[in-house]
Amino acid sequence: MLHLPEPIGAVFVTLIGLVVGSFLNVCIYRLPHGLSVVHPGSRCPSCKTPIRWYRNIPVLSWLVLRGRCSACRAGISVRYPIVETLTAALTLWIWLRYGLSAEFAVAVPFAWAMIVLFFTDLDTQLLPDVVTLAGVAAGFASAWFNPFLGEPGIHRIWMALSGCALGGGLLWTVGALYSRLRGVEAMGFGDVKMMAFIGAVAGPQGVLFAIFGGSVAGAAAGWALIPLRGRSMQSTLPFGCFLAPAGLAALLYARQVIGWYLGLLVPGG
Ligand SMILES: [Zn+2]
């Protein structure tokens, strides 16, 4: 019995995750400003010296250079290796859960998009259209092959459409009500488009799971941060930062959790 292929696959997937994570760093810093993610190549954020490929190896280069630019010695944020490690870890996790499958092909790019949206929202309170709207389009284009949308066939197309409409519609309604009641702009349309994206990939069940999970996490974090920020509930945390992990959890676990919950309601069912 030769058990080699399994660890080799895991190592390969982790390396891919690290390289993609390095690209996601570029996306996170450039997309909110409408800049190209391919040109120019990687540069030191401080002195703009182009970074040579052998000094641009994910995580390792940052460790070897001790988080400093090799030209000007300016500090380079620990965020770079964190995003690379997170991307590799999530990619490996999905690989270990599903292996080479349609689930993997859908969940991995979705997870990468959620990482980008989490950090752009954290940094700039922006959720770039090139991620959210492209995500909606990709969700529809892949719906036929997307096992997270249920049984094969036309049913999946319907699930993608209804998930997209429910996700976008619910968030738009909540936002409109909130700004009417409080007289403040509750959320930008970025959140609406992000939720439409999550719905197009994870379906209506995923939408309910993600909104519920994101709201609970957001409320908990809001209360936890009150001592730090003062009692100003106006200084809301960017909701996309909660929707991103909730959206990924919804894609991977919603059907399982809802099935388990229905099982509790209907014993033996
Ligand atoms: Zn520099």
Side-chain angles (χ1 to χ4, degrees):
M1 291 284 279
L2 189 64
H3 285 292
L4 270 180
E6 214 168 301
I8 287 177
V11 168
F12 183 69
V13 161
T14 306
L15 291 177
I16 300 261
L18 286 170
V19 172
V20 170
S22 184
F23 177 68
L24 297 189
N25 272 315
V26 177
C27 295
I28 290 162
Y29 282 91
R30 294 189 188 174
L31 289 181
H33 306 289
L35 299 172
S36 162
V37 293
V38 262
H39 184 83
S42 297
R43 283 158 187 267
C44 165
S46 183
C47 68
K48 312 290 177 209
T49 304
I51 299 170
R52 296 186 181 277
W53 67 267
Y54 54 84
R55 295 211 176 102
N56 204 7
I57 295 162
V59 183
L60 270 185
S61 291
W62 191 90
L63 291 174
V64 167
L65 295 168
R66 297 205 181 90
R68 302 202 164 274
C69 166
S70 60
C72 70
R73 312 301 298 161
I76 293 180
S77 171
V78 70
R79 268 276 296 279
Y80 287 91
I82 287 177
V83 168
E84 287 157 357
T85 308
L86 176 67
T87 308
L90 286 181
T91 308
L92 177 63
W93 175 37
I94 295 168
W95 169 260
L96 294 176
R97 193 167 151 84
Y98 297 109
L100 191 61
S101 59
E103 282 92 344
F104 181 79
V106 170
V108 162
F110 182 81
W112 294 344
M114 290 300 128
I115 292 171
V116 171
L117 292 174
F118 175 89
F119 285 103
T120 58
D121 208 19
L122 187 67
D123 290 347
T124 62
Q125 282 77 57
L126 289 172
L127 297 161
D129 284 352
V130 279
V131 180
T132 55
L133 294 185
V136 171
F140 289 149
S142 63
W144 190 266
F145 308 98
N146 179 352
F148 296 108
L149 294 173
E151 296 307 308
I154 197 77
H155 168 77
R156 286 180 179 172
I157 309 285
W158 168 239
M159 284 293 124
L161 284 168
S162 54
C164 181
L166 181 69
L170 274 177
L171 242 67
W172 184 86
T173 309
V174 169
L177 282 176
Y178 187 86
S179 45
R180 182 69 59 87
L181 289 173
R182 302 289 299 270
V184 290
E185 189 60 47
M187 359 184 190
F189 279 98
D191 302 278
V192 174
K193 287 177 265 187
M194 179 177 181
M195 205 58 232
F197 168 28
I198 294 172
V201 179
Q205 289 183 338
V207 163
L208 298 177
F209 187 100
I211 291 182
F212 180 73
S215 305
V216 169
W223 283 109
L225 287 175
I226 283 177
L228 298 176
R229 291 176 164 226
R231 294 197 64 88
S232 166
M233 292 297 279
Q234 299 288 81
S235 60
T236 44
L237 294 153
F239 193 42
C241 291
F242 299 102
L243 281 185
L248 184 59
L251 184 71
L252 301 181
Y253 295 105
R255 295 165 66 80
Q256 210 170 315
V257 170
I258 290 169
W260 169 81
Y261 184 71
L262 291 179
L264 286 185
L265 292 182
V266 187

